[in-house]
Every structure is written in C-alpha cells, then in structure tokens.
Amino acid sequence: QVQLQESGPGLVKSSETLSLTCTVSGGSISGYYWSWIRQPPGKGLEWISYIYYNGYTNYNPSLRSRVGISLDTSKNQFSLNLSSVTAADTAVYYCARQVDYSNSPYFDFWGQGILVTVSS
Amino acid sequence: QSVLTQPPSASGTPGQRVTISCSASSSIVGTNAVNWYQQLPGTAPKLLIFNSNNRPLGVPDRFSGSKSGTSASLAISGLQSEDEGDYYCATWIDSVNGPLFGGGTKLTVL
C-alpha cells in the first residue's frame, strides 16, 4: 500500500518561502505523476502543481510565478516551494499520487495533510 | 474561466438515495471524464469515483457516478451516517494541462 507523508514547518512568516516535502513509502516514485493540492480552512481543494518522475513539471497558472516543485528519486521524495507567502496561503497542504488515466487523471493516494499557517 | 459548479449542500435520511451534481462551465470542453472525492471530517480526501463511473477497489457499490455532456452526478444509495462529509468533483482542463476541482458539496445525514 502506497503511503505519503508531508513534512515541513507549520508556521511561515509573511513574505517568506513555504517549503514542504512529501515522502513516498510502499512504492516507487517512478512511473507516476506527483501533485501538491491545498485546502484553505473551511474551503475547497486547489491543485498547485505536479511533477512527473522524469522531471516534467506543471503549475496552476494562478500560482505559477511563485511555485517550484522538485523530485529526489533516491529518497523517494518530492518537494514544494511557494515564495512570497501571504495569509491567503494559509491552508492544509496535501501531497498526492496522480494516475495518468484516460482523459482525466485522478489522485488515488493522498497524504494526511499538513496545516501551514502564514503569520504576519 | 473554467468552473465546476456543485451545490453547496445536500442532505438525506438513512437509507435514502441522494445525488450530487457537478456542472462544467461552457469554457470547459465536456469530453473529459469526471472524478469524485469524498472527504470525511478531519481527514484527507479519498478517491470515490474515477473516469466518471468507475469505483476503485474497496468503494462500496452504493456509490455510483454518471456523466452526460458537461454535467456529472454522484449518486449515493442506502445513505449511511458515516457518509456525512464533503464531496468534490474534479476534471482535467486541457488548456491548463491540470485538474480543476468543484467547490464541494457538504452532505448531511439527517
């Protein structure tokens, strides 16, 4: 059974960079896409970015200028950087495995989520 | 702008059948499949339906999905108290080459 676990600071100061890592266990990073998704308190889900095991990346256009995603296959990890954060970036951040299926890829395994609060 | 619209809330009594709709804006080409996620209180989302009407292993057949044109629906039959939570539809946006989630529907079991 594939498991994902997010890690990183739960508190980030405004204007600084949010950095999170997702560790994948029970399976290999190879062959799949890996995504970051966030959920502000009391609100819905927002896709942030994904990375393919070969390094191909894509970003939500609304966040593209501030987001970076990377992969470390030797550690079975992938990471997210979000720069110049504001209070609007306060959210639970999830990492998830993305299955490239038909014309609508889906997320079959999710991490438990990590709450990141941006403080002023 | 691409939007997936869901009703903010739905409700039903135990044993009842409820449906949750998901409507795509005209800017989204209606050929891509829809996926559904269930988020129980305090937990991460869980894949419920993929490719509009397929259930992953372990998802009860009480849950079913359908799609017609730019609209999709999730049906839950034999409603149970443990079904209470939030339900999200999602589809792939070709112009972005990424996924888009609906706003979510909060299901209450009365």
Side-chain angles (χ1 to χ4, degrees), chain A residues 39 43-45, chain B residues 4-11 18-23 36-40 48 72 74 76 83-89 101-108:
Chain A
Q39 184 173 36
K43 296 188 177 180
L45 301 167
Chain B
L4 286 176
T5 300
Q6 299 181 236
S9 64
S11 63
V18 297
T19 60
I20 297 172
S21 62
C22 174
S23 178
W36 290 91
Y37 299 88
Q38 176 193 58
Q39 187 175 32
L40 300 178
L48 204 59
L74 173 71
I76 309 172
D83 297 332
E84 193 163 275
D86 297 319
Y87 292 80
Y88 294 91
C89 63
F101 291 95
T105 298
K106 184 176 185 62
L107 175 64
T108 301

PDB file of all heavy atoms in Angstrom, chain A residues 39 43-45, chain B residues 4-11 18-23 36-40 48 72 74 76 83-89 101-108:
ATOM      1  N   GLN A  39      -5.867  23.240   0.698  1.00  0.00           N
ATOM      2  CA  GLN A  39      -7.240  23.480   1.117  1.00  0.00           C
ATOM      3  C   GLN A  39      -7.231  24.517   2.235  1.00  0.00           C
ATOM      4  O   GLN A  39      -6.931  24.186   3.391  1.00  0.00           O
ATOM      5  CB  GLN A  39      -7.893  22.178   1.595  1.00  0.00           C
ATOM      6  CG  GLN A  39      -9.353  22.314   1.956  1.00  0.00           C
ATOM      7  CD  GLN A  39      -9.999  20.980   2.253  1.00  0.00           C
ATOM      8  OE1 GLN A  39      -9.385  20.079   2.831  1.00  0.00           O
ATOM      9  NE2 GLN A  39     -11.258  20.829   1.856  1.00  0.00           N
ATOM     10  N   LYS A  43     -12.560  25.775   3.270  1.00  0.00           N
ATOM     11  CA  LYS A  43     -12.791  25.977   1.833  1.00  0.00           C
ATOM     12  C   LYS A  43     -12.489  24.709   1.032  1.00  0.00           C
ATOM     13  O   LYS A  43     -12.234  23.651   1.595  1.00  0.00           O
ATOM     14  CB  LYS A  43     -11.937  27.154   1.347  1.00  0.00           C
ATOM     15  CG  LYS A  43     -12.323  28.475   1.985  1.00  0.00           C
ATOM     16  CD  LYS A  43     -11.594  29.638   1.354  1.00  0.00           C
ATOM     17  CE  LYS A  43     -12.043  30.955   1.964  1.00  0.00           C
ATOM     18  NZ  LYS A  43     -11.343  32.122   1.345  1.00  0.00           N
ATOM     19  N   GLY A  44     -12.543  24.842  -0.285  1.00  0.00           N
ATOM     20  CA  GLY A  44     -12.380  23.699  -1.161  1.00  0.00           C
ATOM     21  C   GLY A  44     -10.930  23.423  -1.537  1.00  0.00           C
ATOM     22  O   GLY A  44      -9.996  24.050  -1.054  1.00  0.00           O
ATOM     23  N   LEU A  45     -10.783  22.449  -2.439  1.00  0.00           N
ATOM     24  CA  LEU A  45      -9.466  21.983  -2.852  1.00  0.00           C
ATOM     25  C   LEU A  45      -8.945  22.781  -4.042  1.00  0.00           C
ATOM     26  O   LEU A  45      -9.702  23.144  -4.942  1.00  0.00           O
ATOM     27  CB  LEU A  45      -9.553  20.503  -3.239  1.00  0.00           C
ATOM     28  CG  LEU A  45     -10.052  19.554  -2.146  1.00  0.00           C
ATOM     29  CD1 LEU A  45     -10.387  18.191  -2.736  1.00  0.00           C
ATOM     30  CD2 LEU A  45      -9.008  19.414  -1.052  1.00  0.00           C
TER      31      LEU A  45
ATOM     32  N   LEU B   4     -16.248  24.443 -12.201  1.00  0.00           N
ATOM     33  CA  LEU B   4     -17.103  23.297 -11.945  1.00  0.00           C
ATOM     34  C   LEU B   4     -18.026  23.680 -10.797  1.00  0.00           C
ATOM     35  O   LEU B   4     -17.555  23.983  -9.704  1.00  0.00           O
ATOM     36  CB  LEU B   4     -16.282  22.064 -11.551  1.00  0.00           C
ATOM     37  CG  LEU B   4     -15.501  21.351 -12.645  1.00  0.00           C
ATOM     38  CD1 LEU B   4     -14.683  20.217 -12.053  1.00  0.00           C
ATOM     39  CD2 LEU B   4     -16.436  20.818 -13.727  1.00  0.00           C
ATOM     40  N   THR B   5     -19.327  23.645 -11.045  1.00  0.00           N
ATOM     41  CA  THR B   5     -20.283  24.111 -10.042  1.00  0.00           C
ATOM     42  C   THR B   5     -20.986  22.944  -9.371  1.00  0.00           C
ATOM     43  O   THR B   5     -21.576  22.080 -10.037  1.00  0.00           O
ATOM     44  CB  THR B   5     -21.324  25.036 -10.697  1.00  0.00           C
ATOM     45  OG1 THR B   5     -20.649  26.160 -11.282  1.00  0.00           O
ATOM     46  CG2 THR B   5     -22.313  25.541  -9.660  1.00  0.00           C
ATOM     47  N   GLN B   6     -20.912  22.930  -8.050  1.00  0.00           N
ATOM     48  CA  GLN B   6     -21.622  21.938  -7.239  1.00  0.00           C
ATOM     49  C   GLN B   6     -22.560  22.671  -6.292  1.00  0.00           C
ATOM     50  O   GLN B   6     -22.269  23.791  -5.870  1.00  0.00           O
ATOM     51  CB  GLN B   6     -20.640  21.117  -6.398  1.00  0.00           C
ATOM     52  CG  GLN B   6     -19.622  20.309  -7.155  1.00  0.00           C
ATOM     53  CD  GLN B   6     -18.729  19.533  -6.196  1.00  0.00           C
ATOM     54  OE1 GLN B   6     -17.509  19.662  -6.228  1.00  0.00           O
ATOM     55  NE2 GLN B   6     -19.329  18.721  -5.340  1.00  0.00           N
ATOM     56  N   PRO B   7     -23.660  22.030  -5.905  1.00  0.00           N
ATOM     57  CA  PRO B   7     -24.495  22.648  -4.864  1.00  0.00           C
ATOM     58  C   PRO B   7     -23.710  22.663  -3.562  1.00  0.00           C
ATOM     59  O   PRO B   7     -22.990  21.709  -3.259  1.00  0.00           O
ATOM     60  CB  PRO B   7     -25.704  21.702  -4.782  1.00  0.00           C
ATOM     61  CG  PRO B   7     -25.202  20.396  -5.301  1.00  0.00           C
ATOM     62  CD  PRO B   7     -24.183  20.739  -6.349  1.00  0.00           C
ATOM     63  N   PRO B   8     -23.817  23.714  -2.783  1.00  0.00           N
ATOM     64  CA  PRO B   8     -23.029  23.779  -1.537  1.00  0.00           C
ATOM     65  C   PRO B   8     -23.430  22.740  -0.510  1.00  0.00           C
ATOM     66  O   PRO B   8     -22.607  22.349   0.320  1.00  0.00           O
ATOM     67  CB  PRO B   8     -23.282  25.197  -1.018  1.00  0.00           C
ATOM     68  CG  PRO B   8     -24.500  25.660  -1.720  1.00  0.00           C
ATOM     69  CD  PRO B   8     -24.560  24.951  -3.020  1.00  0.00           C
ATOM     70  N   SER B   9     -24.680  22.300  -0.571  1.00  0.00           N
ATOM     71  CA  SER B   9     -25.134  21.343   0.433  1.00  0.00           C
ATOM     72  C   SER B   9     -26.124  20.350  -0.157  1.00  0.00           C
ATOM     73  O   SER B   9     -26.775  20.626  -1.179  1.00  0.00           O
ATOM     74  CB  SER B   9     -25.768  22.067   1.619  1.00  0.00           C
ATOM     75  OG  SER B   9     -26.923  22.755   1.216  1.00  0.00           O
ATOM     76  N   ALA B  10     -26.214  19.201   0.500  1.00  0.00           N
ATOM     77  CA  ALA B  10     -27.186  18.169   0.173  1.00  0.00           C
ATOM     78  C   ALA B  10     -27.488  17.426   1.469  1.00  0.00           C
ATOM     79  O   ALA B  10     -26.667  17.422   2.398  1.00  0.00           O
ATOM     80  CB  ALA B  10     -26.647  17.217  -0.892  1.00  0.00           C
ATOM     81  N   SER B  11     -28.642  16.799   1.519  1.00  0.00           N
ATOM     82  CA  SER B  11     -28.976  16.064   2.737  1.00  0.00           C
ATOM     83  C   SER B  11     -29.925  14.917   2.419  1.00  0.00           C
ATOM     84  O   SER B  11     -30.582  14.897   1.370  1.00  0.00           O
ATOM     85  CB  SER B  11     -29.612  17.004   3.767  1.00  0.00           C
ATOM     86  OG  SER B  11     -30.823  17.537   3.281  1.00  0.00           O
ATOM     87  N   VAL B  18     -29.379   9.838  -2.492  1.00  0.00           N
ATOM     88  CA  VAL B  18     -29.143  11.254  -2.771  1.00  0.00           C
ATOM     89  C   VAL B  18     -28.225  11.376  -3.982  1.00  0.00           C
ATOM     90  O   VAL B  18     -27.418  10.483  -4.263  1.00  0.00           O
ATOM     91  CB  VAL B  18     -28.516  11.982  -1.566  1.00  0.00           C
ATOM     92  CG1 VAL B  18     -29.444  11.972  -0.378  1.00  0.00           C
ATOM     93  CG2 VAL B  18     -27.180  11.365  -1.213  1.00  0.00           C
ATOM     94  N   THR B  19     -28.371  12.478  -4.690  1.00  0.00           N
ATOM     95  CA  THR B  19     -27.488  12.747  -5.809  1.00  0.00           C
ATOM     96  C   THR B  19     -26.862  14.122  -5.645  1.00  0.00           C
ATOM     97  O   THR B  19     -27.473  15.051  -5.114  1.00  0.00           O
ATOM     98  CB  THR B  19     -28.220  12.680  -7.156  1.00  0.00           C
ATOM     99  OG1 THR B  19     -29.269  13.658  -7.159  1.00  0.00           O
ATOM    100  CG2 THR B  19     -28.810  11.310  -7.389  1.00  0.00           C
ATOM    101  N   ILE B  20     -25.624  14.228  -6.093  1.00  0.00           N
ATOM    102  CA  ILE B  20     -24.894  15.477  -6.075  1.00  0.00           C
ATOM    103  C   ILE B  20     -24.473  15.795  -7.509  1.00  0.00           C
ATOM    104  O   ILE B  20     -23.871  14.945  -8.179  1.00  0.00           O
ATOM    105  CB  ILE B  20     -23.654  15.377  -5.160  1.00  0.00           C
ATOM    106  CG1 ILE B  20     -24.081  15.117  -3.708  1.00  0.00           C
ATOM    107  CG2 ILE B  20     -22.815  16.650  -5.247  1.00  0.00           C
ATOM    108  CD1 ILE B  20     -22.938  14.808  -2.763  1.00  0.00           C
ATOM    109  N   SER B  21     -24.783  16.987  -7.950  1.00  0.00           N
ATOM    110  CA  SER B  21     -24.493  17.356  -9.330  1.00  0.00           C
ATOM    111  C   SER B  21     -23.181  18.128  -9.443  1.00  0.00           C
ATOM    112  O   SER B  21     -22.682  18.716  -8.477  1.00  0.00           O
ATOM    113  CB  SER B  21     -25.635  18.193  -9.902  1.00  0.00           C
ATOM    114  OG  SER B  21     -25.762  19.408  -9.164  1.00  0.00           O
ATOM    115  N   CYS B  22     -22.645  18.128 -10.649  1.00  0.00           N
ATOM    116  CA  CYS B  22     -21.390  18.827 -10.941  1.00  0.00           C
ATOM    117  C   CYS B  22     -21.510  19.331 -12.380  1.00  0.00           C
ATOM    118  O   CYS B  22     -21.571  18.514 -13.316  1.00  0.00           O
ATOM    119  CB  CYS B  22     -20.221  17.869 -10.785  1.00  0.00           C
ATOM    120  SG  CYS B  22     -18.606  18.537 -11.274  1.00  0.00           S
ATOM    121  N   SER B  23     -21.571  20.639 -12.547  1.00  0.00           N
ATOM    122  CA  SER B  23     -21.803  21.212 -13.867  1.00  0.00           C
ATOM    123  C   SER B  23     -20.588  22.025 -14.312  1.00  0.00           C
ATOM    124  O   SER B  23     -20.088  22.873 -13.579  1.00  0.00           O
ATOM    125  CB  SER B  23     -23.044  22.100 -13.811  1.00  0.00           C
ATOM    126  OG  SER B  23     -23.271  22.708 -15.063  1.00  0.00           O
ATOM    127  N   TRP B  36     -14.573  11.827  -8.593  1.00  0.00           N
ATOM    128  CA  TRP B  36     -15.222  12.265  -7.363  1.00  0.00           C
ATOM    129  C   TRP B  36     -14.372  11.869  -6.155  1.00  0.00           C
ATOM    130  O   TRP B  36     -13.826  10.762  -6.111  1.00  0.00           O
ATOM    131  CB  TRP B  36     -16.607  11.646  -7.229  1.00  0.00           C
ATOM    132  CG  TRP B  36     -17.610  12.174  -8.199  1.00  0.00           C
ATOM    133  CD1 TRP B  36     -17.894  11.678  -9.442  1.00  0.00           C
ATOM    134  CD2 TRP B  36     -18.490  13.290  -8.003  1.00  0.00           C
ATOM    135  NE1 TRP B  36     -18.879  12.436 -10.033  1.00  0.00           N
ATOM    136  CE2 TRP B  36     -19.271  13.421  -9.177  1.00  0.00           C
ATOM    137  CE3 TRP B  36     -18.705  14.193  -6.962  1.00  0.00           C
ATOM    138  CZ2 TRP B  36     -20.233  14.423  -9.338  1.00  0.00           C
ATOM    139  CZ3 TRP B  36     -19.655  15.181  -7.111  1.00  0.00           C
ATOM    140  CH2 TRP B  36     -20.412  15.291  -8.280  1.00  0.00           C
ATOM    141  N   TYR B  37     -14.312  12.783  -5.186  1.00  0.00           N
ATOM    142  CA  TYR B  37     -13.561  12.538  -3.959  1.00  0.00           C
ATOM    143  C   TYR B  37     -14.474  12.760  -2.763  1.00  0.00           C
ATOM    144  O   TYR B  37     -15.308  13.668  -2.749  1.00  0.00           O
ATOM    145  CB  TYR B  37     -12.352  13.472  -3.875  1.00  0.00           C
ATOM    146  CG  TYR B  37     -11.390  13.284  -5.019  1.00  0.00           C
ATOM    147  CD1 TYR B  37     -11.543  13.995  -6.207  1.00  0.00           C
ATOM    148  CD2 TYR B  37     -10.354  12.351  -4.941  1.00  0.00           C
ATOM    149  CE1 TYR B  37     -10.680  13.807  -7.280  1.00  0.00           C
ATOM    150  CE2 TYR B  37      -9.495  12.147  -6.009  1.00  0.00           C
ATOM    151  CZ  TYR B  37      -9.670  12.869  -7.174  1.00  0.00           C
ATOM    152  OH  TYR B  37      -8.826  12.669  -8.237  1.00  0.00           O
ATOM    153  N   GLN B  38     -14.305  11.921  -1.758  1.00  0.00           N
ATOM    154  CA  GLN B  38     -15.033  12.030  -0.505  1.00  0.00           C
ATOM    155  C   GLN B  38     -14.063  12.503   0.576  1.00  0.00           C
ATOM    156  O   GLN B  38     -12.969  11.956   0.711  1.00  0.00           O
ATOM    157  CB  GLN B  38     -15.589  10.654  -0.111  1.00  0.00           C
ATOM    158  CG  GLN B  38     -16.281  10.609   1.231  1.00  0.00           C
ATOM    159  CD  GLN B  38     -16.514   9.171   1.689  1.00  0.00           C
ATOM    160  OE1 GLN B  38     -15.576   8.383   1.821  1.00  0.00           O
ATOM    161  NE2 GLN B  38     -17.769   8.822   1.898  1.00  0.00           N
ATOM    162  N   GLN B  39     -14.459  13.517   1.314  1.00  0.00           N
ATOM    163  CA  GLN B  39     -13.631  13.991   2.415  1.00  0.00           C
ATOM    164  C   GLN B  39     -14.446  13.953   3.705  1.00  0.00           C
ATOM    165  O   GLN B  39     -15.307  14.802   3.931  1.00  0.00           O
ATOM    166  CB  GLN B  39     -13.093  15.403   2.160  1.00  0.00           C
ATOM    167  CG  GLN B  39     -12.098  15.857   3.211  1.00  0.00           C
ATOM    168  CD  GLN B  39     -11.475  17.212   2.902  1.00  0.00           C
ATOM    169  OE1 GLN B  39     -12.106  18.082   2.309  1.00  0.00           O
ATOM    170  NE2 GLN B  39     -10.211  17.413   3.295  1.00  0.00           N
ATOM    171  N   LEU B  40     -14.199  12.961   4.515  1.00  0.00           N
ATOM    172  CA  LEU B  40     -14.877  12.857   5.810  1.00  0.00           C
ATOM    173  C   LEU B  40     -14.245  13.857   6.765  1.00  0.00           C
ATOM    174  O   LEU B  40     -13.090  14.264   6.585  1.00  0.00           O
ATOM    175  CB  LEU B  40     -14.776  11.428   6.323  1.00  0.00           C
ATOM    176  CG  LEU B  40     -15.400  10.363   5.400  1.00  0.00           C
ATOM    177  CD1 LEU B  40     -15.212   8.972   5.979  1.00  0.00           C
ATOM    178  CD2 LEU B  40     -16.856  10.657   5.123  1.00  0.00           C
ATOM    179  N   LEU B  48     -13.267   8.381  -4.829  1.00  0.00           N
ATOM    180  CA  LEU B  48     -14.531   7.654  -4.746  1.00  0.00           C
ATOM    181  C   LEU B  48     -14.949   7.078  -6.110  1.00  0.00           C
ATOM    182  O   LEU B  48     -15.412   5.948  -6.202  1.00  0.00           O
ATOM    183  CB  LEU B  48     -15.616   8.605  -4.244  1.00  0.00           C
ATOM    184  CG  LEU B  48     -16.844   8.062  -3.549  1.00  0.00           C
ATOM    185  CD1 LEU B  48     -16.473   7.265  -2.324  1.00  0.00           C
ATOM    186  CD2 LEU B  48     -17.774   9.218  -3.191  1.00  0.00           C
ATOM    187  N   ALA B  72     -22.164  16.104 -14.585  1.00  0.00           N
ATOM    188  CA  ALA B  72     -21.916  14.803 -13.987  1.00  0.00           C
ATOM    189  C   ALA B  72     -22.678  14.721 -12.678  1.00  0.00           C
ATOM    190  O   ALA B  72     -23.068  15.752 -12.102  1.00  0.00           O
ATOM    191  CB  ALA B  72     -20.421  14.589 -13.741  1.00  0.00           C
ATOM    192  N   LEU B  74     -23.041  12.327  -8.868  1.00  0.00           N
ATOM    193  CA  LEU B  74     -22.670  11.268  -7.932  1.00  0.00           C
ATOM    194  C   LEU B  74     -23.936  10.856  -7.211  1.00  0.00           C
ATOM    195  O   LEU B  74     -24.660  11.712  -6.684  1.00  0.00           O
ATOM    196  CB  LEU B  74     -21.641  11.782  -6.922  1.00  0.00           C
ATOM    197  CG  LEU B  74     -21.296  10.832  -5.775  1.00  0.00           C
ATOM    198  CD1 LEU B  74     -20.485   9.647  -6.290  1.00  0.00           C
ATOM    199  CD2 LEU B  74     -20.541  11.565  -4.664  1.00  0.00           C
ATOM    200  N   ILE B  76     -25.566   8.361  -4.223  1.00  0.00           N
ATOM    201  CA  ILE B  76     -25.295   7.535  -3.045  1.00  0.00           C
ATOM    202  C   ILE B  76     -26.614   6.906  -2.643  1.00  0.00           C
ATOM    203  O   ILE B  76     -27.569   7.609  -2.296  1.00  0.00           O
ATOM    204  CB  ILE B  76     -24.732   8.363  -1.888  1.00  0.00           C
ATOM    205  CG1 ILE B  76     -23.547   9.211  -2.339  1.00  0.00           C
ATOM    206  CG2 ILE B  76     -24.321   7.444  -0.728  1.00  0.00           C
ATOM    207  CD1 ILE B  76     -23.052  10.211  -1.297  1.00  0.00           C
ATOM    208  N   ASP B  83     -21.525   8.433   5.825  1.00  0.00           N
ATOM    209  CA  ASP B  83     -21.325   9.094   4.530  1.00  0.00           C
ATOM    210  C   ASP B  83     -21.271  10.613   4.683  1.00  0.00           C
ATOM    211  O   ASP B  83     -20.972  11.327   3.718  1.00  0.00           O
ATOM    212  CB  ASP B  83     -22.453   8.734   3.563  1.00  0.00           C
ATOM    213  CG  ASP B  83     -22.515   7.256   3.235  1.00  0.00           C
ATOM    214  OD1 ASP B  83     -21.457   6.589   3.293  1.00  0.00           O
ATOM    215  OD2 ASP B  83     -23.626   6.764   2.935  1.00  0.00           O
ATOM    216  N   GLU B  84     -21.560  11.092   5.866  1.00  0.00           N
ATOM    217  CA  GLU B  84     -21.586  12.538   6.086  1.00  0.00           C
ATOM    218  C   GLU B  84     -20.192  13.126   5.918  1.00  0.00           C
ATOM    219  O   GLU B  84     -19.232  12.686   6.540  1.00  0.00           O
ATOM    220  CB  GLU B  84     -22.130  12.843   7.491  1.00  0.00           C
ATOM    221  CG  GLU B  84     -22.493  14.299   7.704  1.00  0.00           C
ATOM    222  CD  GLU B  84     -23.382  14.489   8.914  1.00  0.00           C
ATOM    223  OE1 GLU B  84     -24.618  14.341   8.791  1.00  0.00           O
ATOM    224  OE2 GLU B  84     -22.825  14.794   9.991  1.00  0.00           O
ATOM    225  N   GLY B  85     -20.113  14.134   5.060  1.00  0.00           N
ATOM    226  CA  GLY B  85     -18.827  14.763   4.778  1.00  0.00           C
ATOM    227  C   GLY B  85     -18.942  15.638   3.537  1.00  0.00           C
ATOM    228  O   GLY B  85     -20.037  15.985   3.103  1.00  0.00           O
ATOM    229  N   ASP B  86     -17.787  15.973   2.973  1.00  0.00           N
ATOM    230  CA  ASP B  86     -17.745  16.821   1.792  1.00  0.00           C
ATOM    231  C   ASP B  86     -17.394  15.992   0.561  1.00  0.00           C
ATOM    232  O   ASP B  86     -16.566  15.081   0.622  1.00  0.00           O
ATOM    233  CB  ASP B  86     -16.701  17.931   1.966  1.00  0.00           C
ATOM    234  CG  ASP B  86     -17.053  18.871   3.112  1.00  0.00           C
ATOM    235  OD1 ASP B  86     -18.243  19.210   3.259  1.00  0.00           O
ATOM    236  OD2 ASP B  86     -16.139  19.247   3.866  1.00  0.00           O
ATOM    237  N   TYR B  87     -18.016  16.317  -0.550  1.00  0.00           N
ATOM    238  CA  TYR B  87     -17.800  15.599  -1.797  1.00  0.00           C
ATOM    239  C   TYR B  87     -17.381  16.583  -2.892  1.00  0.00           C
ATOM    240  O   TYR B  87     -18.005  17.624  -3.070  1.00  0.00           O
ATOM    241  CB  TYR B  87     -19.070  14.850  -2.202  1.00  0.00           C
ATOM    242  CG  TYR B  87     -19.373  13.708  -1.255  1.00  0.00           C
ATOM    243  CD1 TYR B  87     -19.989  13.945  -0.018  1.00  0.00           C
ATOM    244  CD2 TYR B  87     -19.021  12.396  -1.570  1.00  0.00           C
ATOM    245  CE1 TYR B  87     -20.232  12.918   0.869  1.00  0.00           C
ATOM    246  CE2 TYR B  87     -19.261  11.358  -0.684  1.00  0.00           C
ATOM    247  CZ  TYR B  87     -19.862  11.629   0.531  1.00  0.00           C
ATOM    248  OH  TYR B  87     -20.098  10.596   1.424  1.00  0.00           O
ATOM    249  N   TYR B  88     -16.300  16.228  -3.579  1.00  0.00           N
ATOM    250  CA  TYR B  88     -15.747  17.105  -4.607  1.00  0.00           C
ATOM    251  C   TYR B  88     -15.702  16.390  -5.958  1.00  0.00           C
ATOM    252  O   TYR B  88     -15.252  15.249  -6.038  1.00  0.00           O
ATOM    253  CB  TYR B  88     -14.326  17.523  -4.248  1.00  0.00           C
ATOM    254  CG  TYR B  88     -14.221  18.396  -3.025  1.00  0.00           C
ATOM    255  CD1 TYR B  88     -14.044  17.839  -1.761  1.00  0.00           C
ATOM    256  CD2 TYR B  88     -14.293  19.784  -3.124  1.00  0.00           C
ATOM    257  CE1 TYR B  88     -13.943  18.640  -0.625  1.00  0.00           C
ATOM    258  CE2 TYR B  88     -14.189  20.593  -2.007  1.00  0.00           C
ATOM    259  CZ  TYR B  88     -14.018  20.013  -0.760  1.00  0.00           C
ATOM    260  OH  TYR B  88     -13.924  20.816   0.347  1.00  0.00           O
ATOM    261  N   CYS B  89     -16.153  17.076  -6.992  1.00  0.00           N
ATOM    262  CA  CYS B  89     -15.925  16.576  -8.333  1.00  0.00           C
ATOM    263  C   CYS B  89     -14.658  17.240  -8.881  1.00  0.00           C
ATOM    264  O   CYS B  89     -14.217  18.274  -8.376  1.00  0.00           O
ATOM    265  CB  CYS B  89     -17.111  16.837  -9.251  1.00  0.00           C
ATOM    266  SG  CYS B  89     -17.508  18.586  -9.534  1.00  0.00           S
ATOM    267  N   PHE B 101     -10.972  21.349  -9.465  1.00  0.00           N
ATOM    268  CA  PHE B 101     -11.944  20.813  -8.518  1.00  0.00           C
ATOM    269  C   PHE B 101     -13.194  21.683  -8.493  1.00  0.00           C
ATOM    270  O   PHE B 101     -13.116  22.911  -8.642  1.00  0.00           O
ATOM    271  CB  PHE B 101     -11.352  20.776  -7.103  1.00  0.00           C
ATOM    272  CG  PHE B 101     -10.258  19.771  -6.907  1.00  0.00           C
ATOM    273  CD1 PHE B 101      -8.928  20.145  -7.041  1.00  0.00           C
ATOM    274  CD2 PHE B 101     -10.555  18.458  -6.581  1.00  0.00           C
ATOM    275  CE1 PHE B 101      -7.905  19.228  -6.859  1.00  0.00           C
ATOM    276  CE2 PHE B 101      -9.533  17.525  -6.394  1.00  0.00           C
ATOM    277  CZ  PHE B 101      -8.221  17.910  -6.543  1.00  0.00           C
ATOM    278  N   GLY B 102     -14.328  21.034  -8.261  1.00  0.00           N
ATOM    279  CA  GLY B 102     -15.531  21.774  -7.961  1.00  0.00           C
ATOM    280  C   GLY B 102     -15.433  22.350  -6.556  1.00  0.00           C
ATOM    281  O   GLY B 102     -14.532  22.010  -5.799  1.00  0.00           O
ATOM    282  N   GLY B 103     -16.387  23.201  -6.221  1.00  0.00           N
ATOM    283  CA  GLY B 103     -16.355  23.872  -4.923  1.00  0.00           C
ATOM    284  C   GLY B 103     -16.692  22.981  -3.733  1.00  0.00           C
ATOM    285  O   GLY B 103     -16.488  23.370  -2.587  1.00  0.00           O
ATOM    286  N   GLY B 104     -17.213  21.803  -4.016  1.00  0.00           N
ATOM    287  CA  GLY B 104     -17.538  20.865  -2.940  1.00  0.00           C
ATOM    288  C   GLY B 104     -18.984  20.948  -2.491  1.00  0.00           C
ATOM    289  O   GLY B 104     -19.611  22.017  -2.546  1.00  0.00           O
ATOM    290  N   THR B 105     -19.517  19.813  -2.064  1.00  0.00           N
ATOM    291  CA  THR B 105     -20.877  19.714  -1.540  1.00  0.00           C
ATOM    292  C   THR B 105     -20.820  19.076  -0.168  1.00  0.00           C
ATOM    293  O   THR B 105     -20.253  17.981  -0.016  1.00  0.00           O
ATOM    294  CB  THR B 105     -21.766  18.872  -2.460  1.00  0.00           C
ATOM    295  OG1 THR B 105     -21.867  19.498  -3.733  1.00  0.00           O
ATOM    296  CG2 THR B 105     -23.162  18.705  -1.859  1.00  0.00           C
ATOM    297  N   LYS B 106     -21.395  19.754   0.807  1.00  0.00           N
ATOM    298  CA  LYS B 106     -21.429  19.200   2.159  1.00  0.00           C
ATOM    299  C   LYS B 106     -22.681  18.338   2.304  1.00  0.00           C
ATOM    300  O   LYS B 106     -23.805  18.836   2.201  1.00  0.00           O
ATOM    301  CB  LYS B 106     -21.433  20.315   3.202  1.00  0.00           C
ATOM    302  CG  LYS B 106     -21.372  19.820   4.642  1.00  0.00           C
ATOM    303  CD  LYS B 106     -21.276  20.961   5.624  1.00  0.00           C
ATOM    304  CE  LYS B 106     -21.086  20.455   7.046  1.00  0.00           C
ATOM    305  NZ  LYS B 106     -19.835  19.687   7.186  1.00  0.00           N
ATOM    306  N   LEU B 107     -22.482  17.052   2.531  1.00  0.00           N
ATOM    307  CA  LEU B 107     -23.587  16.114   2.671  1.00  0.00           C
ATOM    308  C   LEU B 107     -23.894  15.904   4.145  1.00  0.00           C
ATOM    309  O   LEU B 107     -23.008  15.546   4.928  1.00  0.00           O
ATOM    310  CB  LEU B 107     -23.242  14.775   2.021  1.00  0.00           C
ATOM    311  CG  LEU B 107     -24.271  13.656   2.207  1.00  0.00           C
ATOM    312  CD1 LEU B 107     -25.589  14.016   1.528  1.00  0.00           C
ATOM    313  CD2 LEU B 107     -23.740  12.329   1.690  1.00  0.00           C
ATOM    314  N   THR B 108     -25.151  16.129   4.499  1.00  0.00           N
ATOM    315  CA  THR B 108     -25.606  15.919   5.872  1.00  0.00           C
ATOM    316  C   THR B 108     -26.591  14.756   5.893  1.00  0.00           C
ATOM    317  O   THR B 108     -27.518  14.704   5.085  1.00  0.00           O
ATOM    318  CB  THR B 108     -26.294  17.183   6.420  1.00  0.00           C
ATOM    319  OG1 THR B 108     -25.375  18.279   6.372  1.00  0.00           O
ATOM    320  CG2 THR B 108     -26.749  16.967   7.856  1.00  0.00           C
TER     321      THR B 108
END
